[in-house]
């Protein structure tokens, strides 16, 4: 191959840059919109749990259904130009988490009201950590960061845990979604 | 190289999106894609989604092997140059 070291270095740098852009574009396909959606739903759901003293199922059931329908609409309204096995696996991961999260909740019942909400949030953050291992460090840090926030709230602000998760957890998800939509194209 | 680098992430990609990502015109893209397809490095899949024609591109096993071989050759050139210095 008749290529100078400088040309080889430049080409390899281009390859690395292009590969990173492609990987980010794959992830950004719907990730930004979904994170913003669930960030706002978390803010709504956890804040409602703090201010309205009813069974948490009465709050999360309609929010979960709304979130599921809107997520499906975001995912299927426009077939994304970029698909990868990893992205398709993410949908399957969250379905499995939904199922196992429910089973674990049944096995660990009864819960304290606040602890149950924190438990649900941490289950989904586990999903983001796994996503991060597949798709990129942003999701890994998102999952770990929000989980650390949940733990801090659990022990430092027990009476304000739901509101704390609404602001820090929901706010972080929505902010990450905005960042992805702007920065990962 | 950039076309194969994009597809090396194991994704299928829409023709127009690839052009936007690489800042290439449709005509320029078409010429590159044709050469890569003739060499057996790419597979082109033309379909309709919501009654709109869409063209998706996939890298083949041959294309992935050729890309990796080329990248390894470039790395070897750099390593030889580094060991000489």
């Amino acid at each position: 191959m008749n290529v100078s070291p400088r040309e080889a270095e430049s080409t390899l740098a281009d390859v690395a840059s292009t590969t990173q852009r492609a990987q980010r574009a794959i992830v950004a396909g719907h990730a930004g919109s979904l994170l913003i959606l669930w960030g706002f739903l978390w803010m709504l759901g956890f804040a409602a749990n703090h201010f309205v003293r009813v069974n948490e199922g009465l709050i999360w059931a309609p929010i979960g259904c709304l979130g599921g329908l809107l997520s499906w609409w975001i995912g299927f309204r426009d077939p994304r130009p970029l698909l990868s096995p990893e992205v398709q696996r993410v949908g399957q991961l969250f379905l499995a988490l939904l199922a196992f999260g429910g089973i674990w909740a049944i096995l660990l019942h009864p819960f304290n009201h606040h602890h149950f909400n924190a438990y649900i949030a941490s289950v989904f953050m586990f999903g983001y950590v796994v996503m991060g291992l597949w798709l990129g460090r942003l999701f890994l840090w998102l999952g770990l960061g929000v989980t650390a926030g949940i733990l801090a709230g659990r022990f430092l602000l027990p009476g304000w845990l739901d509101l704390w998760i609404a602001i820090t957890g929901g706010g972080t998800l929505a902010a990450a979604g905005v960042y992805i939509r702007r920065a990962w194209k | 190289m950039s076309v194969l680098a994009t597809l090396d992430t194991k994704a299928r990609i829409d023709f127009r999106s690839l052009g936007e990502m690489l800042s290439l015109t449709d005509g320029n893209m078409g010429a590159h894609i044709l050469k890569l397809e003739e060499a057996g490095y790419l597979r082109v899949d033309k379909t309709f989604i919501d009654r709109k024609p869409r063209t998706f591109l996939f890298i083949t096993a041959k294309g992935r092997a050729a890309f990796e071989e080329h990248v390894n050759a470039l790395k070897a050139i750099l390593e030889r140059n580094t060991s000489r210095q």
Side-chain angles (χ1 to χ4, degrees):
Chain A
M1 185 184 288
N2 193 16
V3 172
S4 71
R6 185 172 291 180
E7 285 168 341
E9 190 176 18
S10 172
T11 303
L12 285 171
D14 283 344
V15 167
S17 160
T18 304
T19 303
Q20 187 191 53
R21 266 189 294 150
Q23 286 171 339
R24 287 186 161 186
I26 287 167
V27 172
H30 291 307
S33 301
L34 288 170
L35 280 171
I36 292 168
L37 167 68
W38 284 100
F40 279 112
L41 289 176
W42 271 37
M43 284 191 257
L44 182 65
F46 282 107
N49 270 282
H50 177 79
F51 292 113
V52 180
R53 293 293 170 193
V54 294
N55 185 303
E56 54 268 6
L58 292 175
I59 293 173
W60 286 117
I63 286 179
C65 288
L66 177 66
L69 279 170
L70 289 173
S71 297
W72 178 84
W73 181 73
I74 288 169
F76 287 96
R77 69 191 163 118
D78 177 32
R80 300 309 302 177
L82 280 166
L83 290 177
S84 78
E86 287 84 4
V87 170
Q88 290 165 337
R89 223 178 287 156
V90 165
Q92 295 161 355
L93 166 68
F94 277 92
L95 279 175
L97 272 177
L98 206 58
F100 274 86
I103 291 168
W104 293 329
I106 291 167
L107 291 172
L108 294 170
H109 185 78
F111 278 97
N112 167 289
H113 162 85
H114 302 295
H115 298 168
F116 178 76
N117 289 332
Y119 154 76
I120 292 293
S122 68
V123 166
F124 282 99
M125 286 305 104
F126 170 72
Y128 280 105
V129 168
V130 175
M131 262 178 73
L133 296 172
W134 292 342
L135 298 176
R137 280 178 300 176
L138 174 71
F139 296 102
L140 180 72
W141 291 119
L142 186 63
L144 290 175
V146 172
T147 302
I150 292 168
L151 282 169
R154 158 74 174 83
F155 292 105
L156 300 174
L157 297 165
W160 297 84
L161 183 58
D162 289 325
L163 194 59
W164 170 257
I165 295 174
I167 296 167
T168 60
T172 304
L173 290 179
V178 170
Y179 170 77
I180 285 173
R181 280 178 67 95
R182 286 188 176 171
W184 288 16
K185 287 180 187 168
Chain B
M1 276 291 284
S2 290
V3 172
L4 293 180
T6 308
L7 293 168
D8 194 50
T9 54
K10 303 187 201 78
R12 74 172 188 170
I13 185 168
D14 173 76
F15 179 89
R16 181 127 325 143
S17 299
L18 180 61
E20 283 170 8
M21 198 183 296
L22 301 177
S23 301
L24 294 172
T25 62
D26 283 1
N28 210 330
M29 272 280 297
H32 285 290
I33 298 302
L34 184 62
K35 285 213 167 86
L36 290 169
E37 192 184 11
E38 284 171 353
Y41 294 166
L42 279 192
R43 194 178 92 232
V44 179
D45 183 20
K46 295 186 184 189
T47 185
F48 282 87
I49 294 172
D50 287 342
R51 286 179 288 182
K52 290 176 197 162
R54 298 283 289 270
T55 302
F56 290 97
L57 307 169
F58 301 80
I59 193 171
T60 62
K62 184 181 176 186
R64 187 165 293 126
F67 174 73
E68 284 171 4
E69 188 185 332
H70 193 73
V71 167
N72 289 337
L74 291 172
K75 286 178 181 171
I77 290 171
L78 277 186
E79 277 164 23
R80 275 200 301 273
N81 188 56
T82 306
S83 60
R84 268 193 221 131
Q85 285 171 357

